[in-house]
Amino acid sequence: MRPIRLVPDNTKIDFIGRRLIAFALSGLLVLGSIVVIATHGLNFGIDFRGGILIEVRTEGPADIGAMRNTLSGLGIGQATLQEFGGPRDVMIRIPHQEGDEAAQMAAIEQVRGALGPAVEYRRTEFVGPQVGDELIRAGILAVVLAIGGILAYVSFRFEWQFGVAAVAALTHDVIATIGLFALTQMEFSLSTVAAVLTVAGYSINDTVVVFDRVREDLRRHKSTDLPTVLNTAINQTLARTLITSGTTLLAVLALVVFGGEVIRGFSIALIWGIGIGTYSSICVAVPLLLYLNVRRGRSGGTGKKDQPVAAGNA
C-alpha cells in the first residue's frame, strides 16, 4: 500500500517571499481583535461575573418567554434565559444577590418554586463577585506566566531571537483567540482560559519543531542565505505540521459534535487556536527570524565563534 502524502516531497513554497502579506494579515487580525475586545468586551461567564446559574430541562420544548415572565416577578433581578443545546434545555442566569450564601440559596428556591416540579434541575452554581474578580486576575496571570515561561524555555533551548519570535507568534494567537470570543460574544469562562493556555502549548510545540529544523539547516548549510534556509525548513516540516494539525482537529471536532454545550466554547476555542497556531508557526514565527539577526550555532565543536547569517534577498 502506498503511503498517503498530503505534501509532495519536493515542495518549495516561498513562504518567506510572501512574509509581508502574512505580516499585514496578522497585523489586521491582531488590531481588529484589540478593537473588538475594547469596544464589545467579553461575555464573561458566571465564573468571572459572579451570580447564580441554573440549568433546567423541561418536559417539552421550553417556552422561554413564559419562563422569563414567571421569573421577572420574583424580585431577584434581571434573569437571563437562553436555550442551551436542545429545545428542552434552558440556561438561567441570575445576578448575585445581596447577602451571604443563604441569600443565594433563597433565590434558587424562589426559582424552583416558580418553575414548579415539572422542571428537571440539571445544574446549579453560584459564584460571588469577589471570587469572580480574583479569577479574572488569576486567569490573566496564568496566561502571562505561561508566555513568560515559554520565552525562557525557547531562549534557553535555542537563542533569544527564537524566543522573541515564538512569543510574538504566541501573543498573536492568544489575542486572536480572545478577539474571536469578543466578536461572537460566546461565553468566556474558566474553560475558555484553559483553552487559551492549551492553544499556547499547542502553538509553541508546532513552532519548536520548525525552529529545530531551522537550527539544523543553519548548521548544515552555512553558505546558504537565511531566507532559503528558513523556506527549506518550513517546507521540510510542512507535511508533519499539516498532519498533526489535521488529526488534532478531528479529535476536537468530535468534542464539538458530542461534547455538549458545557464544553462547546472550549472546543471552538481549540479549533480556532489550532488553525491560527499552525498559521502563525509558519507565517509569523519563522519569517520574524529574518529580522532578528539570527546567528549560526557552533557546529560540531569546531570552536569557531558564531557568525551572523546573510539575510540575502527574499
Side-chain angles (χ1 to χ4, degrees), residues 54 56 66-67 70-71 81 92 110-119 121:
I54 305 172
V56 301
M67 293 174 71
T70 301
L71 298 181
L81 285 79
I92 304 171
Q110 278 185 277
V111 172
R112 285 176 178 268
L115 296 181
V119 173
Y121 294 86

Side-chain angles (χ1 to χ4, degrees), residues 7 13-19 22-23 26 165-166 169 172-173 202-203 206-211 214 230-231 233-243 245 274-289:
V7 180
I13 301 174
D14 186 11
F15 291 100
I16 301 302
R18 298 183 177 93
R19 66 186 183 279
F23 288 164
S26 293
H172 164 278
D173 300 343
Y202 180 87
S203 178
D206 223 24
T207 304
V208 163
V209 170
V210 186
F211 279 179
V214 169
L230 298 181
N231 255 332
I234 294 173
N235 280 290
Q236 286 174 338
T237 55
L238 193 58
R240 177 263 170 205
T241 300
L242 294 180
I243 290 172
S245 301
I274 289 169
I276 204 77
T278 302
Y279 158 79
S280 70
S281 297
I282 295 172
C283 300
V284 178
V286 178
L288 275 178
L289 294 175

Side-chain angles (χ1 to χ4, degrees), residues 32-303:
S33 296
I34 292 173
V35 170
V36 171
I37 293 168
T39 55
H40 289 63
L42 292 169
N43 177 22
F44 285 116
I46 195 169
D47 305 337
F48 297 115
R49 284 189 305 184
I52 301 170
L53 182 146
I54 305 172
E55 181 186 340
V56 301
R57 172 168 287 177
T58 57
E59 291 181 338
D63 187 342
I64 300 286
M67 293 174 71
R68 185 178 289 113
N69 289 336
T70 301
L71 298 181
S72 63
L74 297 179
I76 55 176
Q78 182 69 41
T80 304
L81 285 79
Q82 177 186 3
E83 194 174 288
F84 185 73
R88 296 170 55 203
D89 297 326
V90 180
M91 182 75 76
I92 304 171
R93 293 184 177 86
I94 300 168
H96 184 263
Q97 306 296 301
E98 290 294 331
D100 55 11
E101 185 176 330
Q104 316 309 314
M105 294 303 298
I108 293 171
E109 289 306 317
Q110 278 185 277
V111 172
R112 285 176 178 268
L115 296 181
V119 173
E120 177 187 352
Y121 294 86
R122 300 171 62 84
R123 179 161 59 121
T124 303
E125 298 175 3
F126 61 87
V127 178
Q130 188 175 353
V131 175
D133 291 342
E134 289 174 2
L135 288 175
I136 290 176
R137 287 194 293 272
I140 294 172
L141 183 63
V143 173
V144 171
L145 287 178
I147 291 177
I150 288 169
L151 172 63
Y153 166 73
V154 177
S155 299
F156 175 76
R157 179 169 171 181
F158 296 91
E159 297 176 30
W160 68 265
Q161 294 95 331
F162 289 81
V164 170
V167 165
L170 274 186
T171 306
H172 164 278
D173 300 343
V174 169
I175 292 175
T177 303
I178 296 175
L180 173 71
F181 276 79
L183 181 66
T184 59
Q185 288 295 295
M186 281 188 295
E187 186 176 277
F188 195 90
S189 62
L190 278 180
S191 65
T192 312
V193 175
V196 170
L197 292 173
T198 305
V199 166
Y202 180 87
S203 178
I204 193 60
N205 179 59
D206 223 24
T207 304
V208 163
V209 170
V210 186
F211 279 179
D212 210 35
R213 184 56 62 92
V214 169
R215 181 173 59 178
E216 217 175 280
D217 287 350
L218 283 173
R219 291 173 173 171
R220 201 180 290 170
H221 309 291
K222 291 192 173 182
S223 60
T224 308
D225 61 86
L226 184 56
T228 303
V229 171
L230 298 181
N231 255 332
T232 303
I234 294 173
N235 280 290
Q236 286 174 338
T237 55
L238 193 58
R240 177 263 170 205
T241 300
L242 294 180
I243 290 172
T244 304
S245 301
T247 50
T248 311
L249 276 175
L250 285 177
V252 179
L253 280 174
L255 285 180
V256 172
V257 176
F258 302 110
E261 287 294 326
V262 174
I263 61 169
R264 190 172 298 278
F266 176 84
S267 307
I268 291 175
L270 282 186
I271 288 177
W272 170 261
I274 289 169
I276 204 77
T278 302
Y279 158 79
S280 70
S281 297
I282 295 172
C283 300
V284 178
V286 178
L288 275 178
L289 294 175
L290 205 59
Y291 303 95
L292 294 173
N293 192 28
V294 174
R295 303 174 72 86
R296 295 184 190 276
R298 295 175 189 277
S299 177
T302 60

